[in-house]
Amino acid sequence: MFDSILQAITDFNSFLNGIVWGWPMIILILGTGILMTIRTKVMQVRKLGESMNTTIIPTLKSIGKPHAEDADAKSVSQFEAFSAAISGTVGTGNIIGVVSAILTGGPGAVFWMWVSAFFGMITNYSENVLGLFYRKKDKEGNFSGGAFYYIANGLKCNWLAALAAIFCLMAALGMSGVQTNKISGSLASSFGSDTTLVKLIIGIVVAIVAALIIIGGIKRIGKVASMLVPFMSLLFILLSLIAIIMNASAIPAAFAMIFGNIFGFKAMAGGFGGYLFAQVIKKGMARGVFSNEAGLGSSVVAHAASETREPVKQGLWGIFEVFFDTFIICTLTALLFLTTNIKSGAIESFTASSSDSALSLAAFSSNFGIFGTICFSVILPLFAFTTILAWSYYGEKAAEFLFNKFGEKAGKTAVLIFKIIYIVMIVASAVIESDLVWNISDTCNGLMAIPNLIAVVLLSGKVVEITKNYYARKKGAKIEPMLSAYPELNEEFKHHQDVI
């Protein structure tokens, strides 16, 4: 009975996934990025240095210093908002997802992850700008934003905004499922007891710890993420660089495999076989979006809770976010996996059905022995766990948006029900078949991206207008700042300390 239900779900999802991740989606994702790149005059390149100099660099220097006294108690700092957002993007997709993309789409899929990230940087910037400009402030001083807000208040299209919120709820459950599934799978393998019971126990433990943090809302999620994200990212970067240097002789061959199989027509090493162009680009784009989330309109939900009043300033965080997620973390994963296995010769035996989790673990253990196994068993669960926390907040805000229309009480009840379902799904996802969880999450991400990308395209003029307004003021122009779509909030924000 249970097997037949799972098979029915698998068949339906495969059908839907084929539609959602067909050429129209690929064209929409790339087209949106290309449009925004042209309209902002390649801002992701021109302002990459500024995005670092005005975001991550001064923030890292300020860590440990007291928070500004007049900071809004109901908001979170820019770094906490970034940490919550990056924790939603830096997850198992950066490690296991990259390996999975290479196995199923070939090494050329890595190139298409880079392509999606290049254009995704400006897409994410645009989402953040719109998210802050159209966000709402409730009676208690809390900010709420996201794609559903700029669709409803920018496009004035309530039915599309509702769809965006519904798809966000689905994507939240799907993304959480993938993370939990990989936590249970990797830890169970590390314990040497890959059984359903062990996975179930791991799922229960993860659910309990997540529940304790989720109850605290974005402020607690932001604080936890701001502590865990730097630690796990630096540890992963350090170990990956060491392993790549250890296998430096294989670096040229690794890049040759990536660039030599961009179009998938050339037969790849050993068991990889030849792949059609559509398969290579689909896996690269799908895993790229899964990893950096540019185009989904998800991370903007966390960014909208930031204390900053300048949409462009938070937009610059979005540029760095995608750069860090894909061009640094995902690239290191790809090179770690390829160089390790090219040098050992093991890459000749891989097939599309090889275990992505096992091979990800092997990349660490083969270079660092038991120390690598231990580090992998720490890094992967932390990556995955912080993603679970971030997506719980995204789903919570989607539920709040959908049901607040029926009254504040209805909104709070909906949020509570979502949190309960979310925690239950964490446990259930720990024992579901890995491939099914990945595929369902891919489908949900694709559905979530559609209304968001439509909104970004239709509101692209507003993004350009807000951007020009910011840089004109930065040069000294005495013009009315564009901080909020709502006159009363715009007037209030003008007096904030971070406004130019």
Side-chain angles (χ1 to χ4, degrees):
M1 177 67 177
F2 181 70
D3 290 340
S4 62
I5 293 175
L6 279 183
Q7 187 58 50
I9 294 174
T10 300
D11 293 341
F12 176 75
N13 183 73
S14 297
F15 169 75
L16 188 59
N17 187 275
I19 298 174
V20 170
W21 280 107
W23 282 108
M25 172 60 77
I26 292 171
I27 292 171
L28 182 58
I29 291 175
L30 286 178
T32 302
I34 292 171
L35 172 67
M36 297 312 303
T37 296
I38 294 172
R39 297 208 67 173
T40 61
K41 300 177 182 177
V42 200
M43 186 175 177
Q44 69 267 52
V45 176
R46 292 189 300 108
K47 300 297 182 181
L48 180 59
E50 181 182 342
S51 74
M52 293 185 181
N53 290 329
T54 61
T55 57
I56 193 66
I57 292 176
T59 299
L60 291 176
K61 290 180 179 178
S62 69
I63 290 178
K65 295 181 181 179
H67 200 48
E69 291 182 4
D70 62 342
D72 193 332
K74 294 296 183 179
S75 60
V76 295
S77 70
Q78 284 184 283
F79 183 63
E80 287 173 345
F82 163 77
S83 295
I86 200 70
S87 68
T89 58
V90 177
T92 56
N94 298 76
I95 303 177
I96 296 177
V98 173
V99 173
S100 174
I102 294 174
L103 291 174
T104 57
V110 176
F111 173 81
W112 293 107
M113 291 183 72
W114 291 336
V115 171
S116 76
F118 176 77
F119 292 112
M121 290 164 71
I122 197 62
T123 301
N124 205 31
Y125 166 83
S126 303
E127 292 169 349
N128 280 359
V129 169
L130 292 173
L132 265 73
F133 190 70
Y134 288 104
R135 64 182 173 176
K136 290 281 191 176
K137 187 177 183 180
D138 64 21
K139 298 175 183 177
E140 298 175 355
N142 299 300
F143 288 120
S144 295
F148 20 92
Y149 280 92
Y150 51 76
I151 292 174
N153 302 305
L155 290 184
K156 307 296 183 183
C157 188
N158 290 324
W159 68 268
L160 189 61
L163 270 183
I166 291 170
F167 291 153
C168 180
L169 285 171
M170 294 167 58
L173 295 174
M175 188 68 79
S176 172
V178 168
Q179 310 306 322
T180 307
N181 190 270
K182 292 308 178 184
I183 290 177
S184 65
S186 61
L187 288 182
S189 297
S190 300
F191 296 152
S193 182
D194 193 7
T195 65
T196 300
L197 178 60
V198 171
K199 290 181 177 179
L200 181 61
I201 293 173
I202 293 172
I204 292 172
V205 172
V206 171
I208 292 173
V209 178
L212 294 175
I213 299 173
I214 289 171
I215 291 171
I218 185 61
K219 288 190 72 66
R220 188 175 298 174
I221 292 172
K223 289 187 182 300
V224 171
S226 65
M227 291 186 289
L228 293 180
V229 168
F231 163 73
M232 66 187 187
S233 298
L234 289 174
L235 178 60
F236 177 78
I237 291 171
L238 179 63
L239 291 177
S240 296
L241 285 174
I242 292 173
I244 292 169
I245 291 172
M246 290 168 60
N247 300 291
S249 60
I251 293 178
F255 278 108
M257 289 187 73
I258 293 172
F259 289 105
N261 296 286
I262 292 174
F263 301 108
F265 297 131
K266 182 180 177 181
M268 301 169 199
F272 281 126
Y275 288 86
L276 295 176
F277 173 60
Q279 178 75 354
V280 176
I281 190 172
K282 175 182 175 181
K283 290 300 179 182
M285 295 289 289
R287 288 292 182 263
V289 171
F290 181 94
S291 174
N292 59 53
E293 295 178 20
L296 297 191
S298 53
S299 64
V300 67
V301 178
H303 282 289
S306 169
E307 67 189 14
T308 184
R309 290 343 188 232
E310 289 279 9
V312 172
K313 284 187 178 180
Q314 204 64 31
L316 293 173
W317 278 101
I319 290 177
F320 174 75
E321 181 183 313
V322 177
F323 175 82
F324 176 77
D325 176 271
T326 304
F327 284 107
I328 296 180
I329 301 294
C330 288
T331 299
L332 286 175
T333 298
L335 290 178
L336 167 65
F337 174 74
L338 290 173
T339 57
T340 297
N341 291 291
I342 288 173
K343 189 173 182 178
S344 68
I347 202 164
E348 297 292 335
S349 63
F350 295 154
T351 66
S353 60
S354 299
S355 172
D356 48 17
S357 297
L359 291 176
S360 299
L361 172 60
F364 279 81
S365 59
S366 62
N367 285 295
F368 302 106
I370 186 64
F371 175 74
T373 301
I374 293 173
C375 286
F376 182 83
S377 299
V378 171
I379 292 173
L380 185 68
L382 284 181
F383 271 169
F385 184 68
T386 53
T387 300
I388 291 172
L389 297 182
W391 275 89
S392 72
Y393 181 70
Y394 301 163
E396 173 187 332
K397 284 299 175 181
E400 182 181 275
F401 174 83
L402 282 171
F403 290 92
N404 263 0
K405 298 174 182 178
F406 304 105
E408 186 177 337
K409 185 176 181 181
K412 290 183 178 180
T413 302
V415 168
L416 177 61
I417 293 173
F418 168 77
K419 287 182 176 180
I420 293 172
I421 294 174
Y422 194 82
I423 297 301
V424 171
M425 285 300 294
I426 288 177
V427 178
S429 299
V431 296
I432 297 177
E433 183 184 351
S434 173
D435 288 342
L436 177 59
V437 176
W438 271 112
N439 293 333
I440 289 176
S441 187
D442 273 346
T443 301
C444 293
N445 285 350
L447 289 172
M448 184 177 175
I450 294 172
N452 175 63
L453 291 171
I454 291 173
V456 171
V457 169
L458 296 179
L459 293 171
S460 59
K462 183 63 69 175
V463 175
V464 174
E465 188 181 357
I466 295 169
T467 303
K468 287 182 176 179
N469 177 276
Y470 172 78
Y471 283 106
R473 286 185 286 116
K474 197 172 181 181
K475 291 178 181 178
K478 301 299 181 182
I479 55 177
E480 183 72 7
M482 295 182 67
L483 309 173
S484 174
Y486 320 109
E488 67 280 2
L489 280 183
N490 200 73
E491 187 63 31
E492 176 190 327
F493 291 174
K494 283 164 57 176
H495 306 293
H496 195 267
Q497 60 176 1
D498 79 330
V499 174
I500 295 174

